C-alpha cells in the first residue's frame, strides 16, 4: 500500500477526549473514529489489526475443536423470557420493536440463541460433545462507555459455547478453552493471567477472567507474584496435550479478580503478593444446566434417561484487545505492534521522494516485498523526513526500511526495529533477506 493512497487520517494533536494512551494513539493514528458515545467506525488501519486478531482467535478456537458459525445480532425477546434474563438484563439491553410490534433486542451475548439452536437439533448423547463459536458484534448500553473501544457500547466479541453430557465432559471442554486462551493471548504478545472470577449463582471454581496487567486497567486484581513472572512459553500448550496439568499448574497460584479477592489469603502472602490494575480480555465460565433446564435443552443418555445438557460459555473481547495490546506495548512516540497483529509488516520511508535513485530503489524494494508476501506500507509522500519518521513511529509497524540518497550512494539502506529503536545499515538484498527470514 502506498501511503499517499491509503486512507489514514492521522491527527497531530492529542485529542482532548482521550484519557488513556490506547485511545489517544488509536485516534491519532487514524484507526478509529467515534460515531456516537461508545460506538466506533474502524478505519482501514484499525480494521487491519482487528482482522489479524480475529484470525488468531479463530485459529486457536478451531484448534481446540470448536466450530465456527454465525448468529445474528438481532434476537427475539421470547427466548430471553424463557431463560428469565429479559427483565434481569435491565437498561444495558438495547430493546427494539419491529413493524409488527414484535419485541426484539440487539444481542449483548448469545447463550439463549445458541441453546435454542441446540435444543432443536441435538437429542442424543451421541451428538455430544460440541463446541460452537462465532465472532459477532454485541451491544450493551453501558452506563459509562469510556476509554474508546475498551469499554464500548457496540463491541466485537468471540463467544464460544460448550455442550456436554456430564460434568466430567464439561470440565474437559473448560480446560480446552483455558489452554486455547493461553495460546491465543501469547500469540498476540500478551501476558494474560487467568484469575478466579465470579461464577454467579452456580458457584464452584470454573470461572476465570484473563487479565492484562496495566495501570489503566479498570479493576484492581491480585495474585501471587510468581504468576506475573511466570514464563508461559515454557509450558506445553499443545491443543492435543494434557490440559488438566496446565490448568492445575496455573490455578495453583492465588489469583483473584476484584470480587473474588480474599484478604486472609493475601495477608499470608506478604511480599509474594502482587496487586495491580487489570484489563479483562477474556472470560471462561461453566454454568452447568442453568440455560438447558430453563429452556428445555435435554438429551437422552445411553441408558435412555433424559438429562439437561451441561454448558459453558467462553468470551474474548476482540475489539477490546486492540486497545489492550496498545496499553501493553507502546512508548512516547506511539504504538509498538507485535508482529502477529501489526497492520502492515514493514514501512518503507523514502527520504527523498522525487529523487530518481531513491524512487527507483524504493519501488524495487516495495515490489520485492510484495512478491515475498510481506505487507508493506510505502511512504512516498513529499513530506519532510521528520514528519515521516513521526508518522511511522506513531502507527507502530514492527520494521522500518529507511531509504535515503546518502546511504544509496554507498549501496546501503537502514533497517529499524520499532521495538528496540535499533537501526542497522545493510544492503537492500540483506534487508530483504532478513525480513524474509522473519516472515518465514
Ligand atoms: P466487564 O466486567 O468488563 O463489563 P463482562 O464481564 O460483562 O465485562 P463478559 O460478558 O465476560 O464481559 O464478556 C466477554 C468479554 O467481552 C470480556 O472479557 C471483555 O473482554 C469483552 N467486553 C465486555 N464488555 C465490553 C465492552 N463494553 N466493550 C468492549 N469489550 C467488552
Ligand atoms: Mg466477565
Amino acid at each position: 500500500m502506498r501511503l499517499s493512497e491509503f486512507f489514514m487520517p492521522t491527527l497531530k494533536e492529542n485529542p482532548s477526549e482521550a484519557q488513556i494512551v490506547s485511545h489517544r494513539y488509536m485516534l491519532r493514528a487514524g484507526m478509529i473514529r467515534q460515531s456516537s458515545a461508545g460506538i466506533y467506525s474502524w478505519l482501514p488501519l484499525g480494521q487491519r489489526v482487528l482482522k489479524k486478531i480475529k484470525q488468531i482467535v479463530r485459529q486457536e478456537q478451531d484448534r481446540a475443536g470448536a466450530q465456527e458459525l454465525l448468529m445474528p445480532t438481532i434476537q427475539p425477546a421470547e427466548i430471553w423470557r424463557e431463560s428469565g434474563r429479559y427483565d434481569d438484563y435491565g437498561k444495558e439491553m438495547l430493546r427494539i420493536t419491529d413493524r409488527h410490534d414484535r419485541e426484539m433486542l440487539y444481542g449483548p451475548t448469545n447463550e439463549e440463541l445458541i441453546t435454542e439452536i441446540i435444543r432443536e437439533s441435538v437429542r442424543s448423547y451421541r451428538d455430544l460433545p460440541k463446541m460452537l463459536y462465532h465472532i459477532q458484534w454485541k451491544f450493551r448500553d453501558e452506563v459509562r462507555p469510556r476509554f474508546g473501544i475498551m469499554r464500548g457500547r457496540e463491541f466485537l466479541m468471540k463467544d464460544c459455547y460448550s455442550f456436554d453430557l456430564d460434568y466430567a465432559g464439561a470440565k474437559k471442554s473448560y480446560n480446552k478453552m483455558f489452554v486455547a486462551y493461553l495460546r491465543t493471548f501469547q500469540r498476540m504478545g500478551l501476558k494474560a493471567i487467568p484469575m478466579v472470577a465470579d461464577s454467579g449463582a452456580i458457584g464452584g471454581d470454573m470461572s476465570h477472567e484473563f487479565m492484562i496487567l496495566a495501570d489503566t486497567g479498570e479493576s484492581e486484581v491480585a495474585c501471587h507474584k510468581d504468576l506475573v513472572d511466570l514464563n508461559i512459553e515454557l509450558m506445553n500448550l499443545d491443543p492435543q496435550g494434557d490440559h488438566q496439568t496446565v490448568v492445575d499448574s496455573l490455578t495453583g497460584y492465588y489469583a483473584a479478580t476484584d470480587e473474588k479477592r480474599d484478604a486472609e489469603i493475601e495477608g499470608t502472602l506478604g511480599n509474594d503478593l502482587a496487586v495491580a490494575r487489570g484489563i479483562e480480555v477474556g472470560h471462561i465460565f461453566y454454568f452447568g444446566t442453568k440455560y438447558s433446564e430453563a429452556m428445555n435443552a435435554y438429551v437422552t443418555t445411553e441408558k435412555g434417561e433424559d438429562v439437561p445438557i451441561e454448558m459453558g460459555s467462553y468470551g474474548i473481547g476482540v475489539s477490546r484487545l486492540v486497545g489492550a495490546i496498545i496499553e501493553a506495548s507502546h512508548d512516547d512516540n506511539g504504538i509498538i505492534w507485535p508482529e502477529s497483529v501489526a497492520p502492515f509488516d514493514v514501512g518503507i520511508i523514502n527520504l527523498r521522494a522525487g529523487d530518481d535513485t531513491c524512487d527507483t530503489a524504493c519501488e524495487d524494494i516495495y515490489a520485492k516485498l510484495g512478491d515475498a508476501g510481506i505487507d508493506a506500507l510505502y511512504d512516498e509522500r513529499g513530506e519532510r523526513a521528520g514528519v515521516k519518521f513521526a508518522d511511522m513511529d506513531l502507527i507502530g509497524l514492527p520494521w522500518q526500511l529507511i531509504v535515503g540518497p546518502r546511504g544509496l550512494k554507498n549501496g546501503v539502506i537502514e533497517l529499524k526495529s520499532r521495538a528496540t529503536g535499533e537501526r542497522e545499515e545493510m544492503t537492500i538484498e540483506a534487508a530483504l533477506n532478513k525480513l524474509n527470514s522473519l516472515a518465514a
Side-chain angles (χ1 to χ4, degrees):
M1 180 64 67
R2 289 164 202 277
L3 192 43
S4 68
E5 292 166 11
F6 190 47
F7 182 63
M8 190 180 83
T10 53
L11 306 174
K12 292 216 167 50
E13 306 294 324
N14 272 328
S16 57
E17 73 267 29
Q19 300 165 27
I20 63 172
V21 68
S22 57
H23 190 194
R24 214 154 43 228
Y25 284 158
M26 287 182 78
L27 288 171
R28 278 192 48 201
M31 293 177 69
I32 51 166
R33 283 296 180 267
Q34 182 175 298
S35 160
S36 53
I39 304 181
Y40 289 84
S41 296
W42 291 77
L43 306 189
L45 193 72
Q47 168 71 345
R48 279 176 169 258
V49 178
L50 205 52
K51 274 167 102 172
K52 292 255 176 109
I53 292 176
K54 274 194 272 189
Q55 196 50 19
I56 293 175
V57 169
R58 188 173 274 134
Q59 282 171 356
E60 295 303 332
Q61 290 293 295
D62 292 346
R63 267 183 196 145
Q67 298 168 37
E68 185 170 8
L69 48 54
L70 184 58
M71 291 178 269
T73 53
I74 307 291
Q75 304 180 22
E78 292 102 74
I79 52 174
W80 287 75
R81 290 221 165 82
E82 279 188 52
S83 74
R85 287 209 292 183
Y86 192 65
D87 294 327
D88 290 357
Y89 229 92
K91 290 204 156 172
E92 267 194 20
M93 180 183 273
L94 180 64
R95 295 156 207 257
I96 305 162
T97 312
D98 74 7
R99 66 198 299 162
H100 306 293
D101 270 342
R102 274 192 284 258
E103 289 171 293
M104 315 289 285
L105 56 100
Y106 196 119
T109 177
N110 282 58
E111 280 82 3
E112 283 78 359
L113 195 44
I114 194 84
T115 305
E116 186 191 35
I117 292 171
I118 286 290
R119 77 175 170 196
E120 284 168 2
S121 359
V122 169
R123 292 281 150 72
S124 157
Y125 70 93
R126 285 189 211 93
D127 302 324
L128 301 179
K130 284 277 173 300
M131 291 201 285
L132 299 167
Y133 76 97
H134 72 162
I135 299 176
Q136 179 62 290
W137 294 92
K138 304 287 186 283
F139 194 93
R140 295 182 186 173
D141 207 349
E142 302 272 356
V143 192
R144 254 196 314 154
R146 57 187 184 148
F147 301 156
I149 48 77
M150 293 274 252
R151 180 163 298 281
R153 293 199 294 165
E154 188 184 52
F155 60 97
L156 191 59
M157 194 203 284
K158 181 284 300 180
D159 39 325
C160 178
Y161 304 89
S162 64
F163 304 90
D164 285 276
L165 186 61
D166 51 25
Y167 176 77
K171 193 171 171 100
K172 266 193 198 145
S173 298
Y174 186 89
N175 289 348
K176 266 188 199 165
M177 279 294 142
F178 192 108
V179 171
Y181 275 41
L182 293 174
R183 291 175 56 93
T184 302
F185 299 128
Q186 187 188 325
R187 282 183 62 187
M188 295 171 192
L190 288 173
K191 175 160 237 165
I193 303 178
M195 300 191 164
V196 174
D198 198 9
S199 49
I202 311 298
D205 57 358
M206 293 221 290
S207 172
H208 286 90
E209 287 182 353
F210 287 73
M211 309 293 299
I212 308 297
L213 303 187
D215 296 340
T216 47
E218 281 189 290
S219 65
E220 194 171 78
V221 296
C223 68
H224 194 291
K225 78 170 183 9
D226 287 357
L227 212 42
V228 181
D229 303 326
L230 194 76
N231 190 351
I232 289 181
E233 275 166 48
L234 299 177
M235 300 182 76
N236 175 13
L237 299 182
D238 181 355
Q240 260 51 263
D242 175 9
H243 302 136
Q244 190 66 56
T245 307
V246 176
V247 173
D248 288 346
S249 65
L250 284 167
T251 56
Y253 293 99
Y254 172 74
T257 59
D258 235 350
E259 319 85 65
K260 298 297 275 185
R261 289 181 63 185
D262 183 322
E264 208 169 303
I265 301 180
E266 291 186 12
T268 63
L269 281 175
N271 284 335
D272 284 337
L273 180 71
V275 178
R277 314 231 19 119
I279 302 170
E280 179 192 332
V281 288
H283 189 176
I284 59 177
F285 196 90
Y286 162 75
F287 47 72
T289 57
K290 177 176 170 181
Y291 297 95
S292 52
E293 280 191 70
M295 295 182 67
N296 206 21
Y298 282 69
V299 284
T300 313
T301 66
E302 211 172 345
K303 289 185 192 142
E305 285 169 291
D306 280 348
V307 296
I309 302 174
E310 290 274 338
M311 292 173 57
S313 76
Y314 313 90
I316 289 184
V318 173
S319 49
R320 177 179 288 180
L321 270 168
V322 180
I325 293 170
I326 297 173
E327 291 297 326
S329 182
H330 66 268
D331 63 15
D332 289 345
N333 298 325
I335 304 165
I336 304 174
W337 291 115
E339 291 184 16
S340 59
V341 298
F344 294 91
D345 302 314
V346 54
I348 306 167
I349 298 177
N350 184 342
L351 287 178
R352 196 167 295 164
D355 172 274
D356 260 355
T357 327
C358 285
D359 291 354
T360 311
C362 285
E363 290 292 341
D364 179 49
I365 294 169
Y366 183 54
K368 284 183 174 143
L369 288 170
D371 290 343
I374 296 171
D375 225 352
L377 182 64
Y378 172 24
D379 190 351
E380 25 62 297
R381 298 173 302 170
E383 296 280 354
R384 283 182 297 112
V387 172
K388 294 189 171 194
F389 288 139
D391 278 349
M392 208 50 98
D393 276 356
L394 172 66
I395 68 171
L397 309 183
W399 298 97
Q400 299 173 12
L401 284 173
I402 302 159
V403 182
R406 216 172 320 143
L408 285 179
K409 224 171 256 167
N410 302 317
V412 292
I413 60 174
E414 274 186 302
L415 178 66
K416 174 180 155 181
S417 153
R418 176 67 181 88
T420 65
E422 262 169 61
R423 290 161 161 236
E424 205 184 333
E425 277 199 338
M426 50 177 89
T427 63
I428 292 178
E429 205 191 338
L432 291 175
N433 282 340
K434 177 148 184 188
L435 290 171
N436 262 314
S437 68
L438 289 166

